[in-house]
Amino acid sequence: AQKVTQAQTEISVVEKEDVTLDCVYETRDTTYYLFWYKQPPSGELVFLIRRNSFDEQNEISGRYSWNFQKSTSSFNFTITASQVVDSAVYFCALSEAVGSNFGNEKLTFGTGTRLTIIP
Amino acid sequence: DSGVTQTPKHLITATGQRVTLRCSPRSGDLSVYWYQQSLDQGLQFLIQYYNGEERAKGNILERFSAQQFPDLHSELNLSSLELGDSALYFCASSELNTGELFFGEGSRLTVL
């Protein structure tokens, strides 16, 4: 069975600080996808990134960066120079890749980390 | 605005009743996914349809059913409602080429 653990329930940081959200996953699949989604106060889920298990390269997108460590089954998310607009609940998710083009089927979500950026 | 439309946004009903939630995917998207977000269970995948056919099934109760119509909109039917069915129900559609999932704003169901 697949499992995603986001041990940090809530994090608060002062604006402009860097913050890292942790994600640890469990799966028996040899190929899988990992995701991060953002849920702002308005409620909708916003896709941030998808990573295939074959691709362990870290990724940077503006102030966002992701660190994928297969050896420790972790897929951590760092926001640099945080802003108030980053305040949201962030979800890490996992899905199997076999038989799937993009891994959108049967996403297993973590419980989320509520991030509050203090002005 | 993701382009995925869900109605109604809010729904209050009583135990034992039946409700239908509606989802219109983004123009051109063939896949529709339903997710449930509750305080107890978190975010859970319910079911996926692709061009009218069921493609994948998750933790969907037998009291729940869904379908996707020829115009690609989808409906999630919840029957014999229980207090524990109170949740935010999300619909999502996926972009054909990139697979990016776009979520609607959700339908918040309250069962009293």
Side-chain angles (χ1 to χ4, degrees):
Chain A
Q2 298 183 330
K3 185 178 179 182
V4 176
T5 301
Q6 295 180 255
Q8 304 152 308
T9 305
E10 295 190 29
I11 301 176
S12 294
V13 299
V14 176
E15 195 173 19
K16 297 184 184 177
E17 288 185 353
D18 299 347
V19 58
T20 295
L21 309 182
D22 298 333
C23 172
V24 174
Y25 62 91
E26 296 175 29
T27 180
R28 293 178 184 169
D29 297 327
T30 53
T31 59
Y32 48 89
Y33 287 98
L34 293 163
F35 301 78
W36 276 94
Y37 281 87
K38 174 182 180 180
Q39 187 174 37
S42 51
E44 77 279 14
L45 286 158
V46 179
F47 168 87
L48 295 178
I49 189 171
R50 175 181 60 240
R51 171 65 72 222
N52 186 298
S53 56
F54 287 126
D55 183 2
E56 287 194 68
Q57 281 191 344
N58 293 328
E59 180 153 343
I60 298 175
S61 177
R63 297 183 296 106
Y64 295 172
S65 62
W66 291 270
N67 184 291
F68 178 25
Q69 297 276 350
K70 211 167 180 179
S71 59
T72 57
S73 297
S74 65
F75 186 44
N76 296 338
F77 173 32
T78 297
I79 301 175
T80 303
S82 60
Q83 299 176 2
V84 172
V85 293
D86 296 327
S87 296
V89 180
Y90 290 87
F91 292 93
C92 180
L94 167 70
S95 70
E96 61 186 62
V98 174
S100 170
N101 288 332
F102 298 111
N104 287 322
E105 297 80 5
K106 297 186 180 181
L107 284 172
T108 298
F109 283 88
T111 50
T113 297
R114 181 176 300 276
L115 176 64
T116 302
I117 308 300
I118 303 167
Chain B
D1 182 3
S2 67
V4 176
T5 304
Q6 290 188 247
T7 58
K9 285 189 169 37
H10 301 275
L11 189 55
I12 301 174
T13 188
T15 55
Q17 295 298 305
R18 172 190 170 96
V19 299
T20 297
L21 309 180
R22 182 189 169 101
C23 169
S24 294
R26 297 184 330 143
S27 177
D29 289 352
L30 302 178
S31 279
V32 169
Y33 305 77
W34 286 97
Y35 280 84
Q36 179 197 58
Q37 185 177 29
S38 66
L39 288 175
D40 293 343
Q41 303 292 329
L43 264 165
Q44 286 198 106
F45 168 73
L46 296 179
I47 198 164
Q48 179 210 352
Y49 280 83
Y50 178 83
N51 204 20
E53 293 189 4
E54 182 183 306
R55 178 61 65 91
K57 212 167 187 177
N59 299 321
I60 187 167
L61 299 172
E62 283 191 13
R63 301 183 285 107
F64 296 0
S65 65
Q67 55 183 327
Q68 186 180 27
F69 295 85
D71 67 351
L72 300 178
H73 92 271
S74 177
E75 292 181 357
L76 179 66
N77 300 297
L78 316 175
S79 61
S80 302
L81 286 168
E82 302 175 0
L83 295 178
D85 297 327
S86 295
L88 190 54
Y89 291 85
F90 284 108
C91 170
S93 68
S94 61
E95 203 278 333
L96 188 63
N97 294 319
T98 67
E100 181 175 338
L101 268 186
F102 292 86
F103 282 81
E105 294 183 347
S107 292
R108 183 170 295 281
L109 173 66
T110 302
V111 182
L112 300 176

